[in-house]
Amino acid sequence: MKIIVLKFGGTSVGSLEKIVKVTKIIISYIKKKYKVIVVSSAMSGVTNELLSKTKKIAQNFPNDEKDVILSTGEQISCALIAGKLCDFGYKSRSWLGWQLPILTSGNHSSSRIVKIQKTKILNYLKKDGIPIIAGYQGINNDFRITTLERGGSDTSAILCAKFFDAEKCIIFTDVKGVYTTDPNLIKNAKKIEKISYEEMLEMASLGAKVMQPVSIQEARLNRIEIDVRSTFSKMSGTLITKKKDILSKNTIRGISFTKNDAKLTLIGVKDKPGIAALIFKPLYENSINVDMVVQNVSAGGRETDLTFTIKLEDLKKTRKLVENNRYIKFRKLIVNRNVSKVSIVGVGMVTTPGVTFRMFRALAKKKINIEVISTSEIKISVLINKKNLKKSVEILHQEFKLNNSL
Ligand code: ADP
Ligand code: ASP
Ligand code: MG
């Protein structure tokens, strides 16, 4: 069987008219003699609306019930797609995570797919049916409904491609592919023809929402090529593939950024072994992700300042945990909610000297202050004031000649 997985994102199924458009795309692949498996996200905005209901009704809404609610958005879009395909004379039906089942492990709201039972779908495909599978969801060992991380229908699609041994996986979204940076922020961002799993993973993890990071990890692990393209244009998209299949002159492939970060600085922390661990333990226990960390050298060897960043949405909880942590002492806690992280990404950086210097020089020329720095082999991230975000991305886009890249 020549199987193809087509995934449609929130904007692509964002209205009834758009869903009709989506069904026509699906039919075009049926006409090319593919056995089509569709994975859909919820209509745009729906998951956020559901989430806000849980926040409004209770301060501590339980995570397992939250997943039951959040997973309902996909039920609507999948039924609408299947219903319209039937209306066009095709055999189609929706499948929710528990109906296959899609088995997951791990915590609620960040579960991982471990297995997809194939029998029902394979039988349905043999009878020329078009299954529409709800993305972003599954069930766990206790038969509770689970969701993956936000944006997780990308991961559902990649794992469908893996378990059903699909020939291709196409991610249909609202932009024409993966760009050098978010085309909705920087108008002269360029579409990238091919990008390696490594670079895409880094760009996604550092804020490029176009692909969910876990989906890229899974694709890399299982060597699944991904074609990212637009639902609203026939133009070719971006291929996410192995490094060795890519020829690129550019040292830097792209720039990612996050808008909603917060920076916390603990002034006058005791400088002795184990202190950092004591600060971060309760954050870890409450599933709060700490991103950048810097510790100053202490002048007298007794006290130091420790700075770290988190997501802005975790600030209230983090602040409470730090202030109520009776195992640590500090003189003052300074919080800054107006920070953004900008990162340049490229595998070429390992072998090219001077990238860090060029990045810092470009920002300095425009008087943009760098608050925190972190690096890995293929990325450099800097924390800056949020008001300078667009300017910084523009400057770096120019500095690394991404306007001309393909
Ligand atoms: P979907 O609903 O189809 O899953 P998302 O909203 O999750 O779509 O992701 C698409 C969005 O990702 C785009 O509208 C764009 O604003 C954003 N984006 C961020 N960085 C990039 C990038 N480097 N290339 C393309 N899009 C990007
Ligand atoms: N609907 C889910 C979300 O908004 C999953 C997805 O869009 O991929 O996060
Ligand atoms: Mg998405």
Side-chain angles (χ1 to χ4, degrees):
M1 265 199 285
K2 202 167 92 168
I3 295 178
I4 190 165
V5 173
L6 309 180
K7 180 256 166 176
F8 296 93
T11 315
S12 306
V13 295
S15 68
L16 297 184
E17 293 75 31
K18 287 177 179 167
I19 288 182
V20 175
K21 168 108 188 96
V22 159
T23 55
K24 289 181 181 162
I25 294 175
I26 297 168
I27 293 167
S28 73
Y29 284 90
I30 296 286
K31 288 190 173 150
K32 286 183 206 157
K33 304 277 175 252
Y34 277 109
K35 296 285 183 191
V36 179
I37 296 176
V38 176
V39 174
S40 183
S41 172
M43 296 169 88
S44 53
V46 169
T47 315
N48 282 344
E49 261 169 47
L50 295 165
L51 183 62
S52 78
K53 285 199 169 84
T54 66
K55 286 184 178 159
K56 271 187 198 144
I57 201 167
Q59 235 184 12
N60 288 310
F61 200 90
N63 279 336
D64 47 1
E65 288 308 322
K66 192 164 90 184
D67 278 2
V68 176
I69 294 175
L70 292 197
S71 63
T72 58
E74 274 70 13
Q75 181 161 348
I76 300 169
S77 50
C78 287
L80 285 170
I81 298 172
K84 186 63 202 171
L85 282 168
C86 294
D87 183 49
F88 274 139
Y90 290 84
K91 181 180 158 114
S92 181
R93 64 157 281 193
S94 59
W95 303 82
L96 300 178
W98 63 269
Q99 291 174 308
L100 290 178
I102 295 173
L103 300 168
T104 66
S105 69
N107 294 338
H108 279 280
S109 302
S110 59
S111 293
R112 297 290 170 114
I113 295 176
V114 285
K115 196 174 176 189
I116 301 179
Q117 290 289 2
K118 297 194 294 188
T119 335
K120 291 174 189 160
I121 296 292
L122 289 177
N123 286 338
Y124 195 64
L125 289 174
K126 274 183 202 144
K127 290 182 206 143
D128 292 330
I130 311 172
I132 318 294
I133 299 179
Y136 176 58
Q137 60 179 264
I139 55 165
N140 65 16
N141 271 343
D142 300 324
F143 300 104
R144 296 300 321 254
I145 289 175
T146 54
T147 65
L148 316 179
E149 277 164 52
R150 293 299 304 274
S153 44
D154 292 335
T155 312
S156 308
I158 301 301
L159 286 168
C160 278
K162 173 191 164 180
F163 283 104
F164 293 103
D165 206 9
E167 215 168 77
K168 256 186 171 182
C169 180
I170 308 182
I171 304 287
F172 284 93
T173 182
D174 59 358
V175 284
K176 292 189 184 107
V178 178
Y179 281 66
T180 48
T181 190
D182 188 342
N184 288 324
L185 181 77
I186 303 292
K187 289 293 162 250
N188 59 359
K190 284 275 176 308
K191 192 175 61 146
I192 300 171
E193 299 300 323
K194 281 186 185 180
I195 186 166
S196 65
Y197 296 118
E198 289 74 12
E199 287 168 321
M200 189 65 239
L201 178 58
E202 205 71 45
M203 277 184 70
S205 311
L206 294 166
K209 200 181 160 217
V210 62
M211 288 301 298
Q212 212 275 343
V214 180
S215 74
I216 305 297
Q217 269 168 345
E218 293 288 357
R220 176 168 66 167
L221 207 63
N222 298 292
R223 289 295 183 236
I224 294 162
E225 292 199 328
I226 310 169
D227 182 4
V228 184
R229 56 167 62 216
S230 168
T231 303
F232 311 106
S233 156
K234 286 213 170 5
M235 210 173 161
S236 67
T238 299
L239 186 71
I240 306 173
T241 185
K242 295 187 285 293
K243 226 183 338 204
K244 72 174 180 36
D245 293 346
I246 298 170
L247 289 165
S248 167
K249 307 181 293 301
N250 280 50
T251 311
I252 302 303
R253 294 287 276 165
I255 303 172
S256 289
F257 55 86
T258 50
K259 283 185 186 154
N260 298 314
D261 296 309
K263 184 179 85 164
L264 292 95
T265 303
L266 277 74
I267 308 277
V269 186
K270 277 231 157 60
D271 192 11
K272 60 173 194 185
I275 283 291
L278 289 175
I279 294 170
F280 293 131
K281 188 171 175 235
L283 306 191
Y284 154 74
E285 285 166 348
N286 283 275
S287 306
I288 292 168
N289 237 337
V290 175
D291 185 11
M292 304 168 105
V293 184
V294 264
Q295 186 177 324
N296 286 346
V297 179
S298 51
R302 269 183 307 195
E303 271 189 355
T304 182
D305 304 337
L306 189 117
T307 296
F308 62 94
T309 66
I310 49 161
K311 284 196 189 130
L312 192 55
E313 66 193 45
D314 292 330
L315 180 59
K316 214 168 142 192
K317 205 165 168 188
T318 306
R319 202 175 179 152
K320 232 188 211 162
L321 289 167
V322 171
E323 283 169 347
N324 297 340
N325 187 340
R326 53 196 180 85
Y327 298 103
I328 55 168
K329 277 210 179 82
F330 53 91
R331 272 188 280 121
K332 198 170 159 195
L333 175 65
I334 301 173
V335 173
N336 184 347
R337 348 164 128 250
N338 296 313
V339 286
S340 280
K341 187 173 71 169
V342 178
S343 311
I344 57 171
V345 174
V347 287
M349 189 182 295
V350 194
T351 48
T352 317
V355 177
T356 317
F357 162 68
R358 280 174 67 191
M359 181 182 196
F360 295 171
R361 183 188 55 185
L363 294 171
K365 264 193 202 159
K366 297 284 174 189
K367 306 220 170 338
I368 294 167
N369 188 38
I370 299 172
E371 302 193 17
V372 183
I373 302 164
S374 82
T375 62
S376 80
E377 276 200 332
I378 68 164
K379 67 111 198 220
I380 306 168
S381 301
V382 292
L383 197 74
I384 53 159
N385 189 310
K386 204 189 243 176
K387 72 171 197 278
N388 290 324
L389 174 64
K390 190 168 178 200
K391 193 156 83 175
S392 304
V393 179
E394 267 165 358
I395 293 162
L396 296 172
H397 204 263
Q398 246 169 35
E399 172 67 32
F400 293 101
K401 306 204 171 14
L402 295 176
N403 300 354
N404 319 322
S405 80
L406 278 182

